[in-house]
Amino acid sequence: MGAGQTTGRRRAVPWVVLALWIGVLAFASPFAAKLADVQRDRVTDYLPANADSTQVAEIQDRLPGGETTELVLVYHRDGGLTAADRTVAGRQVDEIAGAHELAAPPEGVPSKDGTTLMYPVASNAPGGDEDKRDAFVEDVREVARGADGLSVEVGGPGALTTDAAKVYDSLGGPLLYTTVGVVAVLLILIYRSPVLWLVPLVVAGIADYLSMGVAYGLNQAFGTQVSGQSSGIMTILVFGAGTDYALLLVSRYREELRRVERPYDAMRAALRGCGPAVLASSGTVAAGLLCLLAADLNSNRGMGPLGTVGVLCALVAMLTLLPALLVLLGRRVFWPLVPAYGSTPKAGRSLFAAMGTSAGRRPFAVLAGGAVLLGALALGAFNLPGSLKQEDSFVDRPESVSAMRTLAEAYPERSSQPITVLTPAGRADATLAEIRDTPGVTDAAAGRTGDGWTEVSVLAADPPQSAGETRTIEELRDRLDGSYVGGASAQQIDLEETNARDTLVVVPIVLVSVLLILIVLLRSLVAPLMLVAAVVAVWGATLGIGGLVFEPLFGFQGTDPGLGLLSFVFLVALGVDYGIFLMHRMREEATRGAEPVAAALTALRTTGGVIASAGLVLAATFGVLLNMGLVALVELGFVIAVGVLLDTFLVRTYLVTSASVALGRRVWWPGRLSKVPDPVPEVRQPERV
């Protein structure tokens, strides 16, 4: 092939890649725009697949009118309700009953102290139809208004679901804009260029748009669940992981531009050098996320495929579109710090060189100190607050939660949140009698009948989601064979139990999957075990930090049941991601003949800055969740962000390097690099006569 043909190919390849991406985006665009239409944040989209409470919610959808929307109107005056207050309450309730089809005429229940009057209101506007449910709740709130010291609040399961949906609906735009803004600022600071930061950011945005189209396709083809939580995490992974891959590629590309004259050839060398590490790291993250398919909790199982889609779309974009754009823009994209051909980077003592020096001198002391620190932090996990109750699940208290607290104070002798029992219609009378005979039940009444089922509303003697109410629900489930016990409190019990089961199942699968990938990649047993042990230690220490700040600093009254599992999956997958960057470069240096200590220190010196930058970006993207309105998302974002920083600046760069220095060649056991190379035989010169 002549020089002209070679040059022509170099010029054509980036344009071909760009044209292909334009075609892909044109194809995916109609599907990406529809993702919001299939996003569902109903209770059944988060509940365990086979739990009693899930069966209740699904059967209610099939009853006449669908799932009932249950509300509670709470009228309260601190000094005691007046006759005029009761008149206002009666008039407003009559107006609501006249405007909507209610399951039964509302009847007021006064509190013993005379300060509160509650009206349970149930509408046949299907709770399963989110638009109709939200419209009913907003209509009731529009009518139920207080004045002159009379407070009126609308609570109950329907209002709580509507308020939660508002938070999830707000995730899309604000989360995307905040994530883009945070990544943009960090890239500007890292690259110190007015142009370069924009290229990976635009590519990440394109990857996010593509992931939306793919996620919609999965939903249509396989019924993959899409929720506000899973789609938000997908966006964070696209920008976080994608920017990490871009940082690694751009750093290697900058190195090669100093050695290679043409940008096209420099990019090929960069892809050969860092491509395997990027592929392996993304594969590890994807494998870890796909392990969530083994979960029984709908929200966990749905997050696996969407998170994987985000990571893989980011990978494809950063290994194809980003290189094409960088080659087309040439060296000038790095202005004002343009890497000139034949130049050498300015020498300077970096933080990572200093860390490597101390690790090389006293590796065992560093390891011992790190182990003590991580162990001490992990003890904080014993201080984590108990399971998060529904009323404590919002960062800012919405009206529905405020209503529940008012009811709990005004009616301490009874539950303000009904337990729902669905029983076969032919056994309704016997079931009702059995329910009323159950310890802890104060009242029970049969409601709608249809589709072969009768719905029974049960009131417990104890407050919602208390230990006493939990015992009542468990007693009902033991006594009522063939019936299902559901409702908000039963759903919370099922969430906690299923999360515990999912953790026992998914965690070993994640560990084994990640370990096998590392063994294949690094061709060693010791190095993979070291990396996995390191990320598990980070996870434990980070949960401990959460235990020290969640309640004392943030004021959170509980821990989301899914925090342990989700944080484990993300921290293990993403933490090993950085381990691969470091160990791959270490192996590369060892393959070239460097001694173990020199290979470890060179790997830290050359990749430490990139790993630190990538860690900052990834932590910042997950840190965006701290600004969301749900405690569960704030807790997840905090744990992952802090875990990534701890892994980046202590464990991955310092402790893993120290362990590699301490182990020497044994870190690659039983691979070829673990063996001492045979000495090169000395060539003796013939004696001169």
Side-chain angles (χ1 to χ4, degrees):
M1 182 180 295
Q5 290 178 304
T6 302
T7 302
R9 185 190 65 181
R10 288 172 179 157
R11 292 176 178 173
V13 170
W15 288 109
V16 170
V17 172
L18 189 59
L20 287 174
W21 267 98
I22 292 174
V24 168
L25 289 178
F27 176 78
S29 182
F31 304 109
K34 295 179 181 179
L35 183 64
D37 298 337
V38 299
Q39 179 177 311
R40 296 290 181 266
D41 290 300
R42 294 175 50 211
V43 172
T44 50
D45 297 316
Y46 289 83
L47 286 176
N50 300 313
D52 258 28
S53 56
T54 311
Q55 301 302 316
V56 168
E58 291 178 349
I59 293 172
Q60 282 179 323
D61 279 344
R62 304 197 298 266
L63 291 177
E67 181 183 347
T68 299
T69 301
E70 297 178 340
L71 305 178
V72 179
L73 276 63
V74 183
Y75 294 85
H76 175 82
R77 185 184 290 273
D78 288 337
L81 294 171
T82 66
D85 293 338
R86 293 185 176 87
T87 300
V88 169
R91 185 172 63 249
Q92 291 181 353
V93 170
D94 289 342
E95 183 178 347
I96 292 169
H100 299 276
E101 180 185 351
L102 303 183
E107 296 183 5
V109 181
S111 64
K112 291 182 178 180
D113 61 6
T115 63
T116 309
L117 178 65
M118 74 169 178
Y119 279 90
V121 175
S123 169
N124 289 334
D129 187 319
E130 296 177 17
D131 293 336
K132 291 183 179 179
R133 178 202 65 211
D134 294 345
F136 173 62
V137 172
E138 295 305 324
D139 285 349
V140 170
R141 285 176 169 167
E142 186 67 28
V143 173
R145 293 179 176 271
D148 301 326
L150 173 66
S151 69
V152 183
E153 297 170 322
V154 178
L160 192 67
T161 303
T162 294
D163 289 340
K166 287 181 181 178
V167 176
Y168 280 117
D169 289 342
S170 70
L171 290 181
L175 185 140
L176 175 61
Y177 306 145
T178 308
T179 302
V180 171
V182 167
V183 173
V185 170
L186 289 174
L187 287 177
I188 291 172
L189 294 175
I190 291 169
Y191 287 138
R192 290 170 290 168
S193 167
V195 179
L196 181 57
W197 66 273
L198 190 58
V199 182
L201 189 64
V202 168
V203 174
I206 291 172
D208 183 49
Y209 196 66
L210 175 63
S211 70
M212 293 168 62
V214 176
Y216 176 81
L218 287 178
N219 173 270
Q220 297 300 297
F222 304 104
T224 303
Q225 292 181 346
V226 180
S227 65
Q229 185 185 52
S230 61
S231 61
I233 294 295
M234 180 179 73
T235 292
I236 286 176
L237 283 172
V238 169
F239 280 91
T243 306
D244 283 1
Y245 303 149
L247 287 169
L248 190 66
L249 177 64
V250 172
S251 175
R252 192 62 177 259
Y253 179 50
R254 190 195 294 266
E255 285 184 36
E256 298 299 337
L257 282 173
R258 299 181 188 277
R259 300 190 311 102
V260 181
E261 182 177 3
R262 298 179 183 274
Y264 177 86
D265 296 330
M267 181 57 73
R268 288 187 62 187
L271 287 171
R272 283 196 302 268
C274 70
V278 172
L279 286 170
S281 61
S282 61
T284 304
V285 177
L289 291 173
L290 284 177
C291 292
L292 286 171
L293 288 171
D296 189 40
L297 200 65
N298 287 339
S299 56
N300 288 346
R301 194 170 61 251
M303 189 178 295
L306 260 67
T308 302
V309 165
V311 169
L312 294 183
C313 286
L315 170 72
V316 173
M318 294 305 170
L319 290 187
T320 58
L321 180 58
L322 178 63
L325 292 176
L326 290 175
V327 169
L328 290 174
L329 292 171
R331 295 176 185 269
R332 59 185 177 274
V333 75
F334 289 93
W335 185 87
L337 304 175
V338 179
Y341 172 57
S343 65
T344 56
K346 186 182 297 184
R349 184 153 180 82
S350 69
L351 168 66
F352 300 100
M355 294 173 68
T357 299
S358 61
R361 288 176 180 171
R362 296 178 294 275
F364 292 102
V366 171
L367 283 174
V372 170
L373 175 61
L374 293 176
L377 289 174
L379 293 176
F382 292 104
N383 196 48
L384 283 168
S387 293
L388 190 68
K389 297 181 179 179
Q390 281 187 321
E391 64 186 77
D392 299 322
S393 60
F394 298 89
V395 175
D396 297 318
R397 185 188 302 177
E399 181 181 341
S400 57
V401 171
S402 180
M404 291 172 64
R405 295 194 174 181
T406 301
L407 290 172
E409 294 173 0
Y411 301 86
E413 76 284 354
R414 61 174 289 169
S415 174
S416 58
Q417 186 169 277
I419 301 166
T420 302
V421 176
L422 286 177
T423 188
R427 299 167 50 187
D429 292 339
T431 300
L432 191 59
E434 186 69 28
I435 291 172
R436 288 171 175 165
D437 191 46
T438 301
V441 172
T442 60
D443 191 19
R448 296 178 299 166
T449 301
D451 197 35
W453 295 92
T454 295
E455 184 177 2
V456 181
S457 182
V458 182
L459 288 178
D462 297 285
Q465 297 182 30
S466 64
E469 189 200 40
T470 298
R471 286 193 297 270
T472 301
I473 292 173
E474 292 173 347
E475 184 70 20
L476 287 170
R477 286 178 168 174
D478 289 340
R479 287 173 171 241
L480 304 178
D481 291 336
S483 301
Y484 296 114
V485 179
S489 295
Q491 292 164 3
Q492 192 68 17
I493 294 172
D494 292 337
L495 284 172
E496 293 175 17
E497 292 179 350
T498 307
N499 264 303
R501 173 264 175 198
D502 285 351
T503 300
L504 292 175
V505 172
V506 175
V507 165
I509 297 176
V510 171
L511 288 175
V512 171
S513 300
V514 170
L515 190 61
L516 290 176
I517 292 175
L518 290 176
I519 289 172
V520 172
L521 174 69
L522 300 176
R523 282 163 277 178
S524 163
L525 288 177
V526 175
L529 287 171
M530 178 179 69
L531 292 180
V532 170
V535 293
V536 172
V538 168
W539 173 68
T542 310
L543 283 182
I545 295 174
L548 298 176
V549 302
F550 281 167
E551 189 169 10
L553 184 61
F554 294 163
F556 295 159
Q557 299 302 308
T559 305
D560 180 66
L563 177 65
L565 175 60
L566 292 180
S567 62
F568 179 86
V569 171
F570 282 110
L571 284 178
V572 168
L574 296 171
V576 167
D577 200 24
Y578 295 142
I580 289 174
F581 293 165
L582 181 67
M583 297 301 293
H584 184 269
R585 187 59 181 259
M586 195 182 302
R587 181 179 180 82
E588 189 177 335
E589 295 296 328
T591 303
R592 292 173 180 171
E595 290 298 315
V597 174
L601 299 185
T602 300
L604 177 59
R605 187 179 65 252
T606 55
T607 65
V610 178
I611 291 177
S613 300
L616 285 172
V617 170
L618 190 62
T621 53
F622 273 97
V624 170
L625 292 176
L626 296 175
N627 196 38
M628 298 298 108
L630 290 176
V631 171
L633 293 180
V634 174
E635 290 178 341
L636 182 64
F638 176 86
V639 169
I640 295 177
V642 172
V644 168
L645 292 176
L646 188 64
D647 183 83
T648 300
F649 292 100
L650 174 64
V651 176
R652 191 66 46 213
T653 51
Y654 213 24
L655 300 186
V656 169
T657 300
S658 298
S660 300
V661 170
L663 289 169
R665 295 186 184 278
R666 287 168 292 184
V667 76
W668 304 113
W669 185 87
R672 178 179 57 83
L673 293 177
S674 65
K675 300 176 177 60
V676 178
D678 296 329
V680 178
E682 182 181 352
V683 179
R684 300 183 60 182
Q685 298 293 329
E687 296 182 3
R688 301 180 65 180
V689 179

